[in-house]
Amino acid sequence: MYKVYIENSAVLFVQQLPADPQGEVFRVAPGETPAITKFLQKLQFTKKLYVISENIERIFDEFRASLPFIEAAGGLVVDDAAKVLMIFRNGRWDLPKGKLEPGERIEDCAVREVGEECGLSGLQLGAFVAHTYHCYRMHGEWVLKRTSWYRMRYGGSQRPQPQTVEGITEAVWVPQAELAPKLENTYFTIRDVLAAAGYVK
């Protein structure tokens, strides 16, 4: 399954529907390549759209190829007290992340972006957590962004410093017991990352 967020709605590319689907269903006809314009039409009436096909890998690959594609990476960072590193940017709580540079390994991108956005060095890279996908408008056209998320640990004594030139106004360690209020003002992708890592249900 692939889940792509388009604004505040989700498109799920699946081979079979769940037992109790909560949303609209779009069955891809043989030879048809679904476009974002068709998804946007259907998302006017629902927040969740299931795209069904026996060959969902091909359908998703064709959808991905139909849009400019951006690779990014980020980190789910914890300190020695198991607090989670979060940033506040553009009015929402977020996890540090950024775009892949030419020739860069995706793991190196994740560590670099966390270091730059939060002013930390000595980050220890851990296991891969999840991919998230979302579409947004850039310079008037839709693009598809895939972010690769990794666990990281920080055992140093530096205080996080927000990268203000990137619009980040806060970079803080959040105890796990205090995550819930932050998640009321975050992105769906961030909730998915924390859920995949076992921090929230």
Side-chain angles (χ1 to χ4, degrees):
M1 183 194 79
Y2 298 93
K3 182 190 291 184
V4 179
Y5 288 103
I6 303 177
E7 296 178 335
N8 292 318
S9 302
V11 178
L12 291 87
F13 293 77
V14 295
Q15 193 162 327
Q16 291 183 329
L17 282 174
D20 184 24
Q22 302 292 318
E24 297 294 320
V25 177
F26 174 44
R27 296 186 183 277
V28 182
E32 183 179 10
T33 301
I36 191 169
T37 51
K38 185 162 287 188
F39 293 161
L40 290 169
Q41 290 172 356
K42 293 183 176 295
L43 289 172
Q44 294 179 61
F45 310 104
T46 184
K47 289 293 184 184
K48 187 179 288 186
L49 177 66
Y50 291 91
V51 178
I52 307 295
S53 172
E54 291 183 358
N55 193 347
I56 203 63
E57 294 286 342
R58 178 184 64 80
I59 294 299
F60 181 77
D61 286 346
E62 290 179 355
F63 171 71
R64 191 175 86 167
S66 72
L67 296 169
F69 186 63
I70 296 172
E71 286 271 21
L76 175 55
V77 189
V78 297
D79 66 4
D80 290 339
K83 295 178 181 178
V84 177
L85 181 61
M86 297 196 77
I87 61 174
F88 195 72
R89 170 168 45 196
N90 298 329
R92 293 193 186 185
W93 289 101
D94 202 349
L95 296 175
K97 63 185 180 302
K99 294 177 184 176
L100 183 71
E101 294 183 349
E104 188 177 31
R105 293 174 65 245
I106 196 72
E107 298 89 348
D108 295 336
C109 171
V111 174
R112 174 182 57 76
E113 284 290 345
V114 172
E116 290 176 356
E117 293 197 338
C118 299
L120 297 176
S121 58
L123 292 157
Q124 300 173 6
L125 180 69
F128 172 78
V129 177
H131 286 128
T132 58
Y133 294 87
H134 76 280
C135 291
Y136 61 96
R137 286 188 179 276
M138 186 170 67
H139 309 306
E141 69 174 339
W142 287 99
V143 300
L144 174 62
K145 184 178 187 179
R146 177 175 70 183
T147 305
S148 302
W149 296 95
Y150 294 86
R151 293 180 186 270
M152 294 182 201
R153 179 168 290 279
Y154 179 70
S157 58
Q158 295 171 292
R159 291 186 60 183
Q161 298 295 323
Q163 189 181 24
T164 55
V165 295
E166 290 292 329
I168 303 170
T169 55
E170 293 184 65
V172 296
W173 294 108
V174 181
Q176 292 185 36
E178 298 175 15
L179 279 174
K182 299 284 193 288
L183 298 185
E184 293 177 6
N185 183 28
T186 190
Y187 301 96
F188 293 117
T189 52
I190 300 306
R191 294 177 193 167
D192 286 353
V193 172
L194 290 166
Y199 285 88
V200 296
K201 294 182 179 179

